[in-house]
Amino acid sequence: ARSPREGTMAAVTDSKKEAFRQYLERAGVIDTLTKVLVSLYEEPDKPKEAINFLKSHLGVPTPEEFEALKAEKAALEEELAAVKAEVAELKAKAAEAEAAASGAAEGAAEGAPEGAPEGEAEAPAEA
């Protein structure tokens, strides 16, 4: 016969197991694993490495795919850095052009008579 303490411990353990099972069910884990295991069961030519079959059907990349993804990521990071540098360079050029245009407009406005539109310099006085 079980002692009262053993019965309580078993109930707590069963409760934790049930809570975990419900969590797996809510998260879709049980359904996904069932589908993958059924596809393995229905596979006419059973793979030598069942774990690799499960991984591939769960969307885990193969080592080759992983290396290809790492290489692609590195290439994209280089491209991103180059584009960021180009953007910074173009922003600097745009700021320089704006400053030059602003300076030219201010210089033209200083030589114009009052009330005259900007850019029209005062005509030289005749002697």
Side-chain angles (χ1 to χ4, degrees):
R2 283 184 164 176
S3 71
R5 184 168 186 235
E6 286 179 51
T8 305
M9 293 293 284
V12 168
T13 302
D14 288 345
S15 172
K16 285 183 178 182
K17 284 181 184 178
E18 180 59 22
F20 185 65
R21 187 196 64 73
Q22 287 175 356
Y23 159 74
L24 292 175
E25 196 170 318
R26 279 192 312 272
V29 173
I30 291 175
D31 188 46
T32 300
L33 287 175
T34 301
K35 287 177 182 176
V36 172
L37 290 172
V38 167
S39 66
L40 176 60
Y41 174 77
E42 293 174 346
E43 186 70 26
D45 299 322
K46 301 292 185 245
K48 290 180 182 179
E49 297 289 329
I51 194 74
N52 289 338
F53 179 91
L54 296 176
K55 285 179 180 179
S56 71
H57 280 75
L58 288 171
V60 176
T62 64
E64 296 80 20
E65 291 170 331
F66 182 75
E67 290 304 317
L69 289 170
K70 278 177 43 178
E72 182 181 1
K73 178 183 178 246
L76 289 171
E77 286 174 338
E78 285 179 21
E79 185 180 341
L80 176 62
V83 168
K84 282 183 175 182
E86 184 179 353
V87 166
E89 181 182 326
L90 291 173
K91 281 183 176 180
K93 284 183 180 178
E96 286 176 21
E98 236 177 73
S102 159
E106 285 177 15
E110 287 176 9
E114 257 188 68
E118 280 188 34
E120 291 182 19
E122 203 174 307
E126 291 181 27

